[in-house]
Amino acid sequence: MSIVTREILGSAASSPHGLTAGTIADPIRLSWSEVHDQAKRMAGGLAARGVGRHGSVAVLATDAADVAPLAQAVWLRRAALTMLQQPTPRTDLAVWLDDTVRAILMIHADVVVVAEPFLLMRDHLLAHDIAVCTVESLRGANPIEPADADEADEGDIALRQLTSGSTGVPKAVEISHANLFAHSVAVRDRLEIDTDRDVMASWLPLSHDMGMIGFVQFPMQVGMDTVIVTADQFLRRPLVWAELISRHRATITSGPNFAYSVLARVLQRAEPTDIDLSSLRVAVNGAEPINKSDLVNFATVGARFGLRPSALTPAYGLAEATLLVSIGTSQEQLRVDSVSRQALMEAHCAQPVTDDSANAQHVVSVGPAVAGMDVRIVRDGTARGPREIGAIELRGPAVAGSYLTAEGVVALAGQDGWLDTGDLGYLDEEGRIYVCGRTKDLIVVAGTNLYPHDIERAAEMVDGVRTGCVIALRVDAEREGFAVLAEVHDVDRQDVRLRISRDIIARVNRHVGYAPREVRLFPAGTLPKTASGKLRRSDARELLLQETPGAATARPTPLTTS
């Protein structure tokens, strides 16, 4: 039996802690023993449906009270779990249905398990000859005892994590039991976990690796308290995140940068007597570029509610590394590097400058690599030294071995054993990691490297542009350049559109030295986002290729560039 499975069973037998799911108003509390009792029944139900060694189970569910026992049941059957990606309010449901079917067929699912709010999916899946059952039907099955379960090997695939890009061409990271265990060792070490005192709290979607691995699998394995609400509760009413932390005295939480920005805005209108964030010792900020000003603002606003500045903890992770690559230490969670913007763009190096320099670019450290994770920076096939920018590459026991694609299994690492993350960044003299952006998103103008999030942050500062709703894209045309897509508050007035477009061009030009070739303005809710609310640059490119109803296009005369 794998170490992860053995520890899950040990927590079920001895831990006094468990899972709280449901809603703030109507929570559902399950001890890890009760979760395991449900898992044994679900495992029996899966066995009756022919799921066994090296089987594949896909899941469409959002409630952790459904997912936690189901994940355990899948592992008791020595099968692999895949959490299918969930639609957002902006999703074209017809496209999502087709993409979901592609993903199910790619992973060769023996059965798809559905729960609310996806029960209506059954007929659609059955029409594609896909076996389907409900969570409730599995709960009613005859239980299987662990002694009768097939014992998973460390190399068996435990989780197939669909990548966060478009599912039109699906790809899944194959995470083994050994990968999960190595990751759990690193998390326990870096976060100094105390299973009797720490409480985790999350709203992240369980189709995301941070939500599933970080807040379901890990606490279920080590036997600590975790409190989880569904992502739609946060997206509808962001204050629920703070209420979750306050009510359950949570000590560890996590979210992407935009979510902390949103939470800071709603906390500004909240009463300090209603929210208490003093219990929080680790607030992980990861999954997208981290903005220094958002961190500082959240710390300032949060202080009114008892938030300790030391709780702010930038991190870097990806599914290919099981989850966590690096994270700030308890001694210095928040560290910001001031470097020359010109040197970043032209010399591909992070040259230190003073904080108040007009040429300063602030890059947030995501901490040193966690235990067992090797990190190097490579450019032009050569490993680089401190402060030189290049591709971030990884190796270690938590790094997965393969992708599963429609064409079959593909090795994840190169022949030398190193994984190219697809991210650009650098290491400082102490080995801390700084992420500059995605390789595929990099915009090159006249030999100068421009990072999309620098352009996006500049455009966000324009009056009338919605915060967190800007995308900068490389323009694929004969002439190099980039476009800015932005959601605005008043897209219908022509005079406002012209003023916003001109202001975006001027501000971006001042900030990065080059003006966009095109600015396109959209009404709220147009730009594509993930289930957790992150912008999707790859899908946004389609907006440049079509005339979108309600959009306003501007191609003003470019300003002179520096």
Side-chain angles (χ1 to χ4, degrees), residues 315 467 523:
T467 302

Side-chain angles (χ1 to χ4, degrees), residues 418-437:
W418 287 87
L419 163 71
D420 183 346
T421 63
D423 291 314
L424 294 169
Y426 64 94
L427 303 174
D428 67 13
E429 294 79 2
E430 284 74 42
R432 289 178 287 253
I433 302 172
Y434 298 79
V435 181
C436 297

Side-chain angles (χ1 to χ4, degrees), residues 74 89 146 182 184 231 312 428 526 549:
V74 171
S184 70
L312 302 181
D428 67 13
T526 302

Side-chain angles (χ1 to χ4, degrees), residues 191 281-286 295 310-315 327-329 333-334:
L191 297 188
R281 70 177 185 86
V282 178
V284 177
N285 184 324
L295 283 174
S310 61
L312 302 181
T313 312
I327 188 169
T329 65
Q333 278 98 332
L334 184 57

Side-chain angles (χ1 to χ4, degrees), residues 131-173:
V132 188
C133 70
T134 67
V135 169
E136 289 306 316
S137 70
L138 294 181
R139 280 197 174 100
N142 293 321
I144 187 172
E145 293 300 325
D148 300 324
D150 206 351
E151 295 191 1
D153 291 333
E154 298 296 343
D156 286 344
I157 303 303
L159 183 67
R160 289 194 174 99
Q161 178 65 47
L162 293 170
T163 56
S164 58
S166 171
T167 54
V169 183
K171 180 172 67 174
V173 181

Side-chain angles (χ1 to χ4, degrees), residues 15 106 116 124 147 196 211 213 242 256 296 302 347 349 408 445 525 541 555:
S15 174
M106 180 197 70
E116 291 287 2
H124 182 82
D196 288 327
I213 297 172
V296 172
C349 70
V445 179
R541 184 165 297 281
R555 294 182 179 87

